Amino acid sequence: MRRSVFYDFIKGFIEENPTFRLVIGMCPTLAVTTSVVNGFWMGVSVIFVLVFANVFVSLLRKVTPDEIRLPVFVILIATPVVIVELVMRAYLPAMYEILGIFVPLIVVNCIIIARAEAFAFKQPVLNSFADGLGIGAGYTLNLILISGIREFLGTGQITVGSFRFPAAPFFEPAAVMLTPPGGFICLGLLMAVLNVLLARRERKAKAQAV
Amino acid sequence: MTERLVVSPSPHWKTGKTVPALMLDVVMALMPAVVASVVFFGWKALAIILTSVSSAVISEAVYEKAVKREVTIKDYSAVITGILLAMNMPPGVPLWMPAIGSAFAIVIAKQLFGGLGCNFVNPALAGRAFLMAAWPLHMTRDWLAPGFFGGVDAAASATPLAVLKGASGGALPGIWDMLLGNRAGCLGETSIIAILIGGIYLIWKEVIDPRIPLGFIGTVFVLTWVFGKPGAFFQGNAVYHILSGGLFLGAFFMATDYVTSPVTAKGRLLMGIGCGAITVLIRLWGGYPEGVSYSILLMNLVTPLIDRVVVPRYYGWKGEARKEKAL
C-alpha cells in the first residue's frame, strides 16, 4: 500500500506530530524554546537537515547494506548539520551564539534518525522528501507555539527584531516560564490538550462508523 | 440497585472518620494561626487568606466541572490547600499572587494527577514553589514588620532566618516575640503558640501522627545545635532555628499530609528525620535562607520509596522470613 505524497507531508502536523505524538526531539524542544526567534531558527535548521537526510537516505536505500545502515545514516545526517552550522555561523552569528551546542547536536536528534530508519529507508524519494518537509514543519510550528507561550508569560511580551507585542508587558512576567520547569509544564499541558482533542475526534469518528 | 459484594483487604474495622470530618478538623486547627496572622499583619493578611481560599475552591469546582468529574469542594481539602498556601506567603504580596498560586496548586499539582489522594506532592507547597520560581522577588522581599491590627509598618523587614544567615542586618527578636509571633515572616508561620495549639489539637484528635513533627523538629534542633555555628561544634543557636522560619507550620500541617507521607510508623519517623536533615542542609549551606518547603517537597517524592523499605512485619512472620517476604 503506497500512501499519497500529500498525506506523508500533512501527517507531520497532527497525526505524527514529532513533539506531541511521537515525543521525539525533546531535548532542543525544552532547551531552546525561550523565545520565538530561537524556536523559529531551530525549526528551520531541523527542516533543512531532515529533508536533506531523508532524500539521501531514500536515494541510497537500495545500495546500503542493512548491517551498516546506521553509520551511513549518521554520515548523511552529519553533512547537512555541518552545512547548517557553518551557514548560521557566517550569516546569523548572534543566533548561533544562542543556539550554541544545540545546532551540532541535531546530528543526534531523534527526529532525524527516527525518520531515516522508520521512513526514508523504506520509502521512495518523493515520499521521503514530503515526510521530511512535513515532520520538520510540524516540529517548527511546535517550537514556535511553545516558545511563544513561554516568552509571552516569562517576559511579558513577544520580541521579534524590533517588533514587540504587546508594546509593554501588562502583567508581571513569571520568570519560571523561562526555566526548565516552566518548559516541562508548558509542554505537558499542550500535550494534554492535543490528546483530549484527538480522543474527542476519534470518539466522534467511531460514533459515526456505528 | 443490585447488591454488591465488596472485596477489600483488611482491616475491615471502620471508624466514623470521614474525609470531610478530618479535613474540617485541620481547618479548625489552622484557625489559631489564621487569627494570629490577622492580629499581627492586619486585614491585609485576611485578604490574602480569603483570596487564596476562594481561588482554590473555585479552581477545584471549575476544573471538576470541565472534566465532568464529581465536584469535591465540600470535603474542605481545597479550603485547606488555600489556607496553607496563604500561610506560606509574605504578608506584603499583591493579591493576584495567592490567586494564581492556589489555582496552580489545585489544577496542576492536585487535579491533573487525579485529585485528592492522587497528588504526589503537597499541593500548597507545589503552589508555593511555583510562586517562588515565578516571582522570586515578591516571595523573598515582601516582608512586613508586625504590628497589632493594621499597625503594620510598610517598610520591608528582615526575617530572623535572614539575620541568622547573615543575609541581612538587623537584630534578632526576643524568644518571647518569636513564640508569640511578633516578628517578620510568612503569614502563618510566625506565631509558634498558635501553630502549637492547632498541632496539639490534631494530635489529640488523632488526625496527625506526632512522629512526623517531632522527628522533623527534633532533627533540626540537634543538627543546628551541632553544626549551627561555622567553625565550632555544639554551639549553634538551635532554639532560634527551630522557632524561626516555617518549621512548626511545615512540620505540623504540611509534612503530615496523608496523601504524601508514609503510612507506617517507622516510615513516618523517617519522613520527619529526612525533612529535618534537608531543611538544615538548605538553611546552613544552601542558597536560600529557608528550606522547610523544599525539604517537604523532596521527602514527598521519596515517600513511595520509604513505604517500600519499611514494609510492616507480616502477622506471624519473624526475622528472616519477613526479610524474604519483603523482597
Side-chain angles (χ1 to χ4, degrees), chain A residues 119-187:
Chain A
F119 195 90
F121 196 56
K122 299 164 191 151
Q123 302 283 345
V125 179
L126 204 57
N127 292 64
S128 299
F129 175 80
D131 178 77
L133 204 59
I135 297 270
Y139 185 65
T140 307
L141 282 183
N142 297 339
L143 291 187
I144 292 175
L145 182 66
I146 298 174
S147 55
I149 295 173
R150 288 180 69 185
E151 187 179 1
F152 180 66
L153 294 177
T155 63
Q157 57 188 7
I158 289 171
T159 312
V160 179
S162 58
F163 167 79
R164 282 161 193 277
F165 173 84
F170 56 88
F171 59 92
E172 221 167 306
V176 68
M177 292 313 290
L178 297 180
T179 63
F184 276 108
I185 291 171
C186 183
L187 180 71

Side-chain angles (χ1 to χ4, degrees), chain B residues 13-27:
Chain B
W13 186 49
K14 285 185 180 165
T15 70
K17 284 179 184 167
T18 59
V19 171
L22 280 176
M23 295 290 175
L24 195 60
D25 267 340
V26 180
V27 174

Side-chain angles (χ1 to χ4, degrees), chain A residues 172-177 179 185 189, chain B residues 96 104 108 112 130 133-135 138:
Chain A
E172 221 167 306
V176 68
M177 292 313 290
T179 63
I185 291 171
L189 290 179
Chain B
W96 50 264
F104 180 90
I108 308 268
L112 283 182
F130 175 77
W135 297 282
H138 280 301

Side-chain angles (χ1 to χ4, degrees), chain B residues 48-118:
Chain B
I48 291 176
I49 295 168
L50 289 180
T51 313
S52 178
V53 170
S54 31
S55 162
V57 173
I58 292 170
S59 339
E60 177 136 311
V62 168
Y63 181 85
E64 285 175 333
K65 271 263 186 300
V67 299
K68 302 191 181 81
R69 225 181 262 163
E70 189 192 349
V71 176
T72 54
I73 52 172
K74 282 186 186 154
D75 69 8
Y76 296 103
S77 64
V79 176
I80 293 178
T81 300
I83 299 179
L84 282 178
L85 182 69
M87 301 273 101
N88 268 298
M89 302 186 78
V93 294
L95 283 182
W96 50 264
M97 278 184 65
I100 293 177
S102 280
F104 180 90
I106 292 292
V107 176
I108 308 268
K110 183 178 166 194
Q111 291 296 346
L112 283 182
F113 288 90
L116 184 65
C118 302

Side-chain angles (χ1 to χ4, degrees), chain A residues 6-18 20-21 130 133-142 194:
Chain A
F6 179 70
Y7 175 79
D8 280 332
F9 171 71
I10 207 76
K11 73 179 187 305
F13 291 91
I14 306 275
E15 275 92 349
E16 293 187 26
N17 185 311
F20 300 123
R21 299 294 286 171
L133 204 59
I135 297 270
Y139 185 65
T140 307
L141 282 183
N142 297 339
L194 191 70

Side-chain angles (χ1 to χ4, degrees), chain B:
Chain B
M1 282 289 209
T2 53
E3 241 178 78
R4 279 201 294 177
L5 181 68
V6 180
V7 181
S8 67
S10 62
H12 304 290
W13 186 49
K14 285 185 180 165
T15 70
K17 284 179 184 167
T18 59
V19 171
L22 280 176
M23 295 290 175
L24 195 60
D25 267 340
V26 180
V27 174
M28 297 299 292
L30 278 166
M31 280 306 134
V34 168
V35 172
S37 72
V38 178
V39 168
F40 288 112
F41 298 112
W43 301 110
K44 184 80 203 285
L46 192 65
I48 291 176
I49 295 168
L50 289 180
T51 313
S52 178
V53 170
S54 31
S55 162
V57 173
I58 292 170
S59 339
E60 177 136 311
V62 168
Y63 181 85
E64 285 175 333
K65 271 263 186 300
V67 299
K68 302 191 181 81
R69 225 181 262 163
E70 189 192 349
V71 176
T72 54
I73 52 172
K74 282 186 186 154
D75 69 8
Y76 296 103
S77 64
V79 176
I80 293 178
T81 300
I83 299 179
L84 282 178
L85 182 69
M87 301 273 101
N88 268 298
M89 302 186 78
V93 294
L95 283 182
W96 50 264
M97 278 184 65
I100 293 177
S102 280
F104 180 90
I106 292 292
V107 176
I108 308 268
K110 183 178 166 194
Q111 291 296 346
L112 283 182
F113 288 90
L116 184 65
C118 302
N119 46 297
F120 71 112
V121 291
N122 185 313
L125 284 177
R128 178 191 147 88
F130 175 77
L131 292 178
M132 194 82 180
W135 297 282
L137 291 183
H138 280 301
M139 290 298 281
T140 52
R141 293 242 183 102
D142 289 358
W143 308 114
L144 294 180
F148 281 95
F149 286 110
V152 173
D153 182 3
S157 177
T159 63
L161 268 182
V163 178
L164 266 180
K165 198 160 188 164
S168 56
L172 287 170
I175 291 287
W176 180 240
D177 282 338
M178 299 282 285
L179 282 173
L180 208 59
N182 193 16
R183 59 162 166 120
C186 291
L187 283 185
E189 69 184 25
T190 57
S191 177
I192 301 295
I193 290 177
I195 295 167
L196 268 181
I197 293 172
I200 290 168
Y201 171 76
L202 287 182
I203 292 172
W204 172 63
K205 292 278 275 182
E206 294 185 348
V207 174
I208 62 171
D209 188 335
R211 285 180 189 86
I212 295 177
L214 291 184
F216 196 162
I217 296 168
T219 307
V220 172
F221 185 87
V222 171
L223 288 180
T224 50
W225 175 56
V226 176
F227 300 110
K229 196 169 175 186
F233 290 118
F234 304 105
Q235 285 179 25
N237 201 342
V239 177
Y240 246 93
H241 261 289
I242 64 165
L243 291 182
S244 53
L247 180 59
F248 272 67
L249 182 71
F252 280 102
F253 289 100
M254 287 182 291
T256 52
D257 179 8
Y258 286 141
V259 183
T260 52
S261 62
V263 292
T264 61
K266 219 190 277 174
R268 287 174 176 172
L269 197 61
L270 265 179
M271 164 100 184
I273 294 172
C275 285
I278 298 174
T279 301
V280 173
L281 212 62
I282 296 176
R283 277 192 187 177
L284 295 183
W285 297 288
Y288 293 104
E290 175 59 308
V292 170
S293 58
Y294 292 111
S295 76
I296 299 174
L297 282 172
L298 283 169
M299 290 309 284
N300 283 165
L301 296 181
V302 297
T303 290
L305 298 178
I306 296 178
D307 273 336
R308 284 189 71 151
V309 172
V310 286
V311 179
R313 179 193 295 254
Y314 284 72
Y315 189 69
W317 288 88
K318 271 188 192 168
E320 283 306 299
R322 178 193 161 254
K323 226 179 235 168
E324 225 167 83
K325 269 296 205 192
L327 294 173

